[in-house]
Amino acid sequence: MKYDNLTFKVPKQSDDYDACSSFVTTAIEAIIKAAIGAGKNKIIINTNLKLGLPMENINKIAGPFVEAWAVETFQDVLEDKTNKYALINVEAKERLYMADVILQFKMTRKTESGVTAEVDVKATAEDIESSGKSPNITAFKRIRTAYIDDPDYIFIILSLKHKVYCTKNTTTGLMDGIMEVVAHNTYDLKYLSSADLSYNPALGSGQLQVRDIHYVTLTKRTTWEFCQLLDRKFIGSKKGFGEWLEMAQANEWIKVDE
């Protein structure tokens, strides 16, 4: 049995997928850019530590703070019912969910009046070269199945760079840690080039990773082309075709004769 001889469940995306992806990516970029431009990009962490935050390990705790800032930024836009970004719903997700937040936008389409995107927020320290450079994105099995269940599934990676510094609060006498979001990039996972995506076979079905989140190249492709790319990454690892076939049968990615 060979990969090319299997009968696959082939996901067929809508004709306007690219337009939807572009709409969402542009809106998210604009929202984050506006927040930074308006000076709403600071997270203040009060501590009674005399030396302030442990700067050498700050990247280990920055992620949850930056993720929370992103969610609140989207929530602030949502509260403005006349917001120019057409954002109509924001749903923060629990820790083990595939994305950090789900966003819905109003958009005129042939068959629908909106578009939904799941957003994974990744925090990287601007002044620590290796911080968050090659993040885990999600489990192979989960993301592969998501695109079969919904061929129009939009999974966005929101990369946020931050700087951290400490100042003494003259009122309280305590140290204020200032975490400041200073740069951002937004990508549709499905459009990342093959060279930018890697597969780590460790942990369960393995993890999809971005090789260097700061420098990526985009390649337009269909949902089915992306599923095939994911399969090649898995099969080319030490797990091989046998493990992939078991997973494909269990998750109904292929059609099996009774």
Side-chain angles (χ1 to χ4, degrees), residues 97-234:
Y97 192 77
M98 200 150 52
D100 296 305
V101 60
I102 298 177
L103 304 179
Q104 290 180 308
F105 296 87
K106 187 175 182 179
M107 178 182 176
T108 302
R109 305 172 63 188
K110 287 183 179 180
T111 59
E112 298 179 51
S113 58
V115 59
T116 301
E118 300 200 357
V119 182
D120 189 20
V121 182
K122 296 301 181 186
T124 63
E126 184 170 71
D127 42 7
I128 302 177
E129 185 176 349
S130 61
S131 168
K133 177 183 175 182
S134 304
N136 286 331
I137 301 301
T138 187
F140 169 82
K141 182 174 69 174
R142 293 181 75 180
I143 196 70
R144 177 64 164 83
T145 301
Y147 284 107
I148 294 298
D149 292 341
D150 179 9
D152 290 326
Y153 182 57
I154 300 177
F155 189 90
I156 299 294
I157 300 171
L158 173 58
S159 173
L160 298 174
K161 278 189 177 183
H162 59 81
K163 285 184 176 180
V164 182
Y165 53 93
C166 290
T167 60
K168 189 168 185 178
N169 189 307
T170 55
T171 302
T172 64
L174 303 178
M175 295 295 287
D176 286 342
I178 312 297
M179 194 172 292
E180 192 172 15
V181 178
V182 295
H184 57 96
N185 282 298
T186 309
Y187 316 109
D188 185 333
L189 173 66
K190 198 172 81 175
Y191 288 160
L192 291 186
S193 74
S194 176
D196 289 313
L197 287 172
S198 61
Y199 169 75
N200 183 347
L203 301 175
S205 66
Q207 287 284 322
L208 197 64
Q209 298 177 322
V210 179
R211 294 186 190 277
D212 186 344
I213 200 168
H214 303 310
Y215 302 98
V216 302
T217 302
L218 301 182
T219 302
K220 295 292 179 72
R221 59 171 67 89
T222 66
T223 301
W224 174 229
E225 288 170 338
F226 188 60
C227 288
Q228 291 175 294
L229 172 62
L230 294 179
D231 291 345
R232 290 196 298 271
K233 298 283 186 182
F234 185 102

